[in-house]
Amino acid sequence: MQQLEDILHLYFNHKTFRLGQKEIINDIIEGKSVLATLPTGAGKSLCYQLPALITQGTVIVVSPLLSLMEDQVKQLKRQGHHIAVAINSFNTEQERQMILSRLSQYKLIYLSPEMLQNQVILDKLQKLQIDLFVIDEAHCISQWGHEFRPDYLKLNQIIEHFNKPTTLALTATATPDVQQDIINQLPAVKFSKHIYPMDRSNIAFIVEHLADPNQKDRYLIDLFEKFQLPSLIYFSSKKEAQRVAIMLHKQFLHLNVAYYHGDLDSTERQLIQQQFMEDQLDIVCCTSAFGMGVDKPNIRLIIHYHLPTQIESFIQEIGRAGRDQLSSVSITLATPYEHRLPERLIDSELPKEAVVDRMFSYLSSLDLSIQPLPIKDEDWMIQLQVTETQWRFLKNYLINKQIIEHNQFVEHKNLFHVKKELIKKIKQRNRYKMKKLDELVRWLNTDHCRRDQLYQSFSTPVSKLESLCCDQCGFSIDQWIPPSEANMAGNKLAKESWKDDLKELILPFKYRQLE
Amino acid sequence: MFYYLILHGLQRIEGQRSPAAIYHLLQGRRSAQTIQDGNLYQLSEYFACYPTLSRADFNHGIVQLIEKDWIKVTAENLVYLTGKSHSFLNKYSQSFPLHYLHGGNYARAVPLFMKRIYLAIQTYTHLSVNNRNFDPIIDDYSVQNWIKSHYQQNRYQLKEWLIQLYDSLNGFLITLDSYSAELFVKRITAYQRIGATIQQLAWQNNCSIHDIEIRLMAIFQHLLFHIDQHHLELFYPLTDYPFSTNVGFMTASAQKTYQMLKHGWSKDNIASRRGLRPSTVEDHIVEIVYADPAFQLSAFIDEKSIGQILEAIKVIQDHKLSSIKAFLNHQFSYFQIRLVLARYDKDKKKGNEV
Ligand SMILES: [Zn+2]
């Protein structure tokens, strides 16, 4: 067999593996299942893309990141590999039929978690020779994780359904208890663990304490007067992202600013992502919807205008800075009330006790012994006034407790007990999330090294830096000298006259700019 | 342009309809009522020129107009323009290229045409310099599949295709006002540059997102019109050409009624067979009259009655159904009057064209 390095060079045009990749791939090829934590930007996807190219059968990847999925399919196509396909809710019925009819032609099949509920698709997949089953963002299976996905609870059953193929569980962020939870939730798999440090030594940390939210805008203006660098500003609110982008646009007419959130139409989102990648945009004000598929090497500043709900999300977001390994800075803007917005988000994530009450009192009023009651999701969401996430959480719980079978409510002897348990569970999870938020809030107020504190709970090694570590270790933004390559957007703006512009755009083979 | 277009529309329906009629028209609601409004008030060129306009944004615009004293809305929900907006409309009557808008069939062809032309330019400019390293800016799978098959047919003459495209676009853009031409070019994504977002274009030009959306729509409709006029065959595969037949411009339900009428079913039989209300079938028939100029009215109204209704319209100079009906002492049903209006309006238009 060829050396892995040769294959890497041939298919991906890299000369060497990054930390951990080779060890993980070797285990997989030997048929060992792997649980791996690799830092964001460390090239997680290569760990299954490379095996997909050299194995006989199919590699299935379950990933909750729709855009990432699409991006990887596109990226592989660009590299000339027409072997990947994504099955998710974006497909039209027609596309899905087409994909399913030629399923065996693909080496790499990406699935979104809700497709795990689709028996037709699962049955089709089962007929394939599955050489590797990949669970991307594996922390989503953990109910303690920051992005719990109820659909992931079906994974163990599916792995058994597929005759226990070699399994790779990947995540960028997992504390020891989340790692244990992943292992517990997948008893069908015998994992060997590959845990790699998460610390990114080229990112310096600053928390800027401000007396009230109004000062955040002022801070940004002062900051961008000094530094004009590719920057991402994270918000928890679409409206605020939009407002601040407009404010910055007016303040810095020579800079190119955009806002990005899930409500924009898909072409606009594409344009913004690609402009940012091509250095046509300087500052993007975004929600967490941005960045999953963005592998831009030279993001220098990651600013948190709002706080995420826990350290894991925070680490994921700052991980987008400095993929070129050059010096970058994470700045978090904090006011004394900073915990309120994430608290509200946590509070709305799970159904309220009153909703659970209402649902169970309705269920107990039905006589299901004669006939089960089929379930229409939309009707229940309206009836209970819950969000889709909340409803899926409820439904999964009821499936586990055998109150829902084959998408119908069936008779159950001990509804009261189940209800009590559910309410207890919701309370427990809310408490846990509040505790996680509290960790992040405490991190804002620590007087120890921020790098140490941030990675403390992950029990992975942390670098000791002489300089450019964090504000607690004496770093301040005023002394920062960013890497000199300032590839700012200004130089790529459209020409004054549309006539020249049109000519150069449409006929690049005649009027190629000197590069 | 957004406010100008709304005011322009409101002026035509002044005192006769509610502001929502203009919303449905701009948004392109495919109902008999909206299609009829477009024809009655000579607004059909603006049909579906802003399909993504949300009701909330439109209502916000109307509230703005009321607050700034541009329009008044009565308790019966009828609109009246103030002197301020009449002089605004006069003053700026030449400033906005409303004549780039050509109505239903063109409007409906634009969204797909836009996606295809943007993706074709991005793809072919990259391939023309042997660069395959790009992400399609259009996510839509069906458009991506389309480009694959289009590429198969043109792969050996990509550069020629681009040169022809350049010549045609240049020839079209010089007929536009320079602002519109610039907008069109800035939006293009090609090998050397990712195109501008709507928001960026709005910022650069100190106008609203709505203004940009409508102007881009107008430019593209005008491009389709230009393609039609000059028989630019290069573009035909990018559109669902020919787009100037009208039958597709009916609701699916009306098309069914149309088929049944052709097979000799009566109006009432269609209603009972399809379980529709008779008034619904009547709506369909009015739609059909708009869409099919050759459709015979004789089953529903005789020649003499048509003449009487036409005469009445001429005398009272009013297109309001109730006024016409009252003037003719309620001899005719609303349905019959609507039929005549639908046909009469068409004829009048034809007369204009000749
Ligand atoms: Zn430190």
Side-chain angles (χ1 to χ4, degrees), chain A residues 70-71 73-75 77-78 85-86 88 90-92 95 98-99 242 245-246 249 256-259 265-272 274-275 278 280-281 492-499 501-513 515, chain B residues 115 118 121-122 124-126 128-129 132-142 144-145 148 158-160 162-163 165-166 169-170 173-174 177-178 181-182 184-200 203-204 209 213:
Chain A
E70 302 283 338
D71 286 340
V73 172
K74 275 192 263 182
Q75 205 182 340
K77 272 187 198 161
R78 274 187 348 209
V85 71
N88 54 43
F90 288 166
N91 305 139
T92 63
E95 280 160 20
M98 204 172 70
I99 294 168
Q242 201 158 326
I246 292 169
H249 161 73
N256 288 287
V257 186
Y259 55 83
D265 91 47
S266 79
T267 303
E268 296 293 285
R269 290 204 306 258
Q270 275 297 329
L271 290 172
I272 292 167
Q274 295 195 26
Q275 288 181 358
E278 298 293 321
Q280 281 174 233
L281 261 182
K492 290 211 173 181
L493 277 184
K495 290 271 175 319
E496 269 313 302
S497 139
W498 66 261
K499 286 185 187 168
D501 209 6
L502 183 74
K503 213 180 283 172
E504 286 178 19
L505 284 174
I506 308 268
L507 308 172
F509 48 93
K510 282 193 177 173
Y511 303 92
R512 210 160 167 176
Q513 281 170 357
E515 278 163 15
Chain B
K115 285 183 185 174
Y118 287 146
I121 292 176
Q122 186 196 20
Y124 296 164
T125 55
H126 277 85
S128 76
V129 292
R132 290 177 172 270
N133 192 10
F134 65 96
D135 286 330
I137 43 157
I138 304 297
D139 271 341
D140 192 327
Y141 270 105
S142 62
Q144 291 183 5
N145 283 333
K148 279 175 207 155
L158 278 189
K159 288 182 183 172
E160 292 72 15
L162 285 170
I163 290 168
L165 178 82
Y166 167 74
L169 284 181
N170 193 53
L173 292 172
I174 52 174
D177 62 285
S178 62
E182 218 168 86
F184 182 93
V185 176
K186 281 184 176 158
R187 184 77 171 148
I188 291 174
T189 295
Y191 167 63
Q192 285 166 341
R193 191 197 67 199
I194 311 291
T197 65
I198 304 279
Q199 176 68 73
Q200 287 162 344
W203 277 346
Q204 284 168 17
I209 284 178
E213 293 265 16

Side-chain angles (χ1 to χ4, degrees), chain A residues 449-452 469-470 472-473:
Chain A
C449 170
R450 293 201 189 277
R451 184 176 306 277
D452 267 354
C469 179
C470 70
Q472 298 298 348
C473 295

Side-chain angles (χ1 to χ4, degrees), chain A residues 324-338:
Chain A
D324 54 8
Q325 308 308 323
L326 299 176
S327 171
S328 310
V329 179
S330 148
I331 301 175
T332 307
L333 304 182
T335 64
Y337 331 102
E338 213 46 54

